[in-house]
Structures are given as C-alpha cells and as structure tokens.
C-alpha cells in the first residue's frame, strides 16, 4: 500500500513546531486573513515566510488556506496576501471561492490549487469538473461513504484528501449558514461561532444539533485501499 500523506493543522508557531516534530508530512495554515480559522493565532506577514521556510528545511510541505469567500472591496488586500504566499514558495493554496481561483490562476498560475471541503464536492461529476479547471487536489466532503470515496478516487487523476479526524457540520460541508443567520458570523468568512453546539433540545434529547466528531483511525487501511492521497486532521 502507498503511504498516505499525514496533513496536520497549525494555528500558530507552537502548533507548527509540534506538528513538524511529531512527524507530519504536511501542514496547513493561514496568513493573517482570508482563511477559515480567523480566530486562530495564524501568522503575521512577518512570520509567514519564516513558517514556510521552517517546514521546507525539515522536508514538510506547507499548504496555505485561502478558503473564505472574498468581497470585491477586499480584492486588493487579497492580491497582496497572494503575492506574499507566492514569495514564500508555499506548496499549494486551499480555496473555496471560484473568484479566488480565478485570481490565483491570473496572478500566480504555477501555485497548485486544492479545492477546500467548503466547496462540498461530493460526486464524480464535481471532482472531474474541478480537475478539468486545474485543481490538483480535491478535499472531499466529509459526508461521503467509503464506497463513494473509492468511486471518486478511481475516476480522476487529481489527488484526493479526506478528513480522518474532526467535526461533522450539522449541515453539509460548506453549506451551513446557521452561525451567519444567528449572529452574523459566517463560517464561509472564517467566523463560525458553532451555535449548533448549544443545547438545542428535541423532546428528551439534548444537544440535538451537535453531531459527534469523526475519528477514522480504525479505517485508515480502507482509505488507503480506496486511493486517498492525504489524511487530513482538523
């Protein structure tokens, strides 16, 4: 069996060092803005290039999250962030907004682009469409079954990435607007307040909207056999 990539999240320098020292093959993190974990420490522009260099000096890949929806008024700031990423020689960017995809390809066409789970890609037609557009990796929706994952990976040449640990959204990946409606904090803008974790009751059942977290550590061989390229930790 081909050894899959182990991909770990890092919200700041301490987490970066821990992930690299623990043996991660790759890490993913954001710059100071335009990522879906805006409340994490993240990296300032001054620290960002050093963080990527730290990874590369130790043989670890660095994927950068640009996985929020951007506004027209943010285009100039976004382009500046993109130029910083290009300067750092990061290994890929992770996106969900097709407008972002356009700007990445226009400004920095050589940077590999990964389709975020926020794009809710859940079938062969979806992954083939993104592959034809130029995405080099598809992060599959968390709701897929093992059979569906296997069918998808066998249908494309692009890499596939699957979450092996993390939260299940009470809606489909990338489609929940609950936080936005309740408190004007959109998950698609990196500010999800996770109101689904509150104690909503349904009869005698408590926390009715709070799904159990996923942990696929006992199914890693199945995922490898299904052709998954990367195991993503949330």
């Amino acid at each position: 069996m081909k050894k899959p990539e182990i991909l770990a999240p890092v919200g700041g320098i301490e987490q970066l060092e821990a992930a690299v020292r623990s043996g991660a093959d790759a890490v993913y993190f954001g710059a100071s803005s335009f990522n879906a974990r805006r409340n994490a420490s993240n990296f300032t522009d001054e620290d960002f290039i050093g963080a990527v260099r730290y990874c590369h000096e130790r043989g670890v890949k660095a994927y950068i999250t640009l996985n929020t929806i951007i506004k027209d008024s943010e285009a100039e700031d976004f382009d500046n962030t993109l130029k910083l990423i290009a300067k750092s020689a990061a290994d890929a960017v992770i996106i969900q907004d097709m407008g972002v995809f356009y700007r990445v390809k226009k400004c920095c066409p050589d940077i590999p682009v990964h389709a975020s789970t926020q794009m809710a890609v859940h079938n062969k037609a979806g992954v083939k469409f993104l592959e034809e557009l130029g995405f080099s990796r598809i992060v599959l929706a968390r709701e897929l079954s093992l059979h569906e994952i296997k069918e998808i990976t066998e249908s494309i040449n692009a890499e596939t990435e699957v979450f092996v640990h993390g939260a299940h959204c009470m809606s489909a990946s990338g489609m929940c607007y609950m936080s936005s409606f309740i408190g004007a904090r959109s998950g698609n803008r990196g500010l999800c307040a996770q109101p689904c974790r509150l104690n909503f009751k349904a009869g005698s059942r408590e926390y009715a909207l709070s799904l159990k977290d996923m942990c696929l550590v006992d199914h890693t061989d199945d995922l490898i056999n299904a052709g998954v390229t990367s195991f993503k930790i949330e």
Side-chain angles (χ1 to χ4, degrees):
M1 293 184 294
K2 183 179 179 181
K3 180 180 180 294
E5 173 188 82
I6 304 300
L7 176 58
V10 293
I13 188 62
E14 292 183 358
Q15 294 90 344
L16 173 63
E17 292 176 353
V20 171
R21 291 174 181 175
S22 297
D25 302 299
V27 296
Y28 64 100
F29 56 90
S32 56
S33 55
F34 304 112
N35 71 85
R37 293 291 181 268
R38 284 168 59 185
N39 289 328
S41 299
N42 296 312
F43 294 87
T44 65
D45 291 351
E46 291 76 16
D47 295 335
F48 184 84
I49 292 178
V52 176
R53 183 187 305 116
Y54 177 88
C55 294
H56 288 171
E57 288 174 347
R58 291 157 180 81
V60 174
K61 292 183 178 180
Y63 305 143
I64 312 305
T65 52
L66 287 174
N67 54 341
T68 59
I69 294 172
I70 70 166
K71 300 177 181 180
D72 287 339
S73 60
E74 298 169 327
E76 184 176 351
D77 288 340
F78 175 83
D79 287 348
N80 290 334
T81 298
L82 185 56
K83 291 173 184 176
L84 176 69
I85 294 170
K87 183 179 179 181
S88 75
D91 297 281
V93 292
I94 306 169
I95 72 166
Q96 73 151 314
D97 185 337
M98 292 306 296
V100 168
F101 177 75
Y102 171 80
R103 299 189 81 88
V104 170
K105 286 300 183 182
K106 183 178 179 180
C107 177
C108 308
D110 294 331
I111 297 180
V113 183
H114 296 177
S116 170
T117 188
Q118 293 295 107
M119 296 188 81
V121 185
H122 56 273
N123 57 36
K124 289 189 288 185
V127 296
K128 287 181 178 179
F129 174 71
L130 294 182
E131 182 180 37
E132 290 170 1
L133 285 178
F135 285 83
S136 61
R137 177 181 294 187
I138 316 297
V139 186
L140 298 177
R142 307 179 198 207
E143 296 78 26
L144 294 176
S145 68
L146 177 64
H147 175 71
E148 290 169 325
I149 291 171
K150 189 173 189 297
E151 279 196 333
I152 287 172
T153 58
E154 290 177 346
S155 70
I156 59 172
N157 294 317
E159 297 177 341
T160 54
E161 183 176 301
V162 169
F163 278 91
V164 294
H165 170 271
H168 272 300
C169 183
M170 57 83 61
S171 183
S173 294
M175 299 295 178
C176 184
Y177 290 89
M178 186 176 183
S179 179
S180 180
F181 288 152
I182 291 176
R185 293 182 55 180
S186 172
N188 289 312
R189 296 279 294 166
L191 292 171
C192 182
Q194 295 186 311
C196 58
R197 298 297 190 180
L198 299 175
N199 192 9
F200 292 98
K201 297 181 180 180
S204 61
R205 181 185 174 192
E206 297 192 345
Y207 297 96
L209 299 181
S210 185
L211 303 181
K212 291 183 178 179
D213 288 354
M214 65 191 304
C215 181
L216 302 182
V217 66
D218 294 329
H219 304 281
T220 53
D221 285 349
D222 293 331
L223 291 171
I224 295 172
N225 290 329
V228 173
T229 304
S230 180
F231 290 175
K232 189 170 196 170
I233 302 167
E234 184 174 60

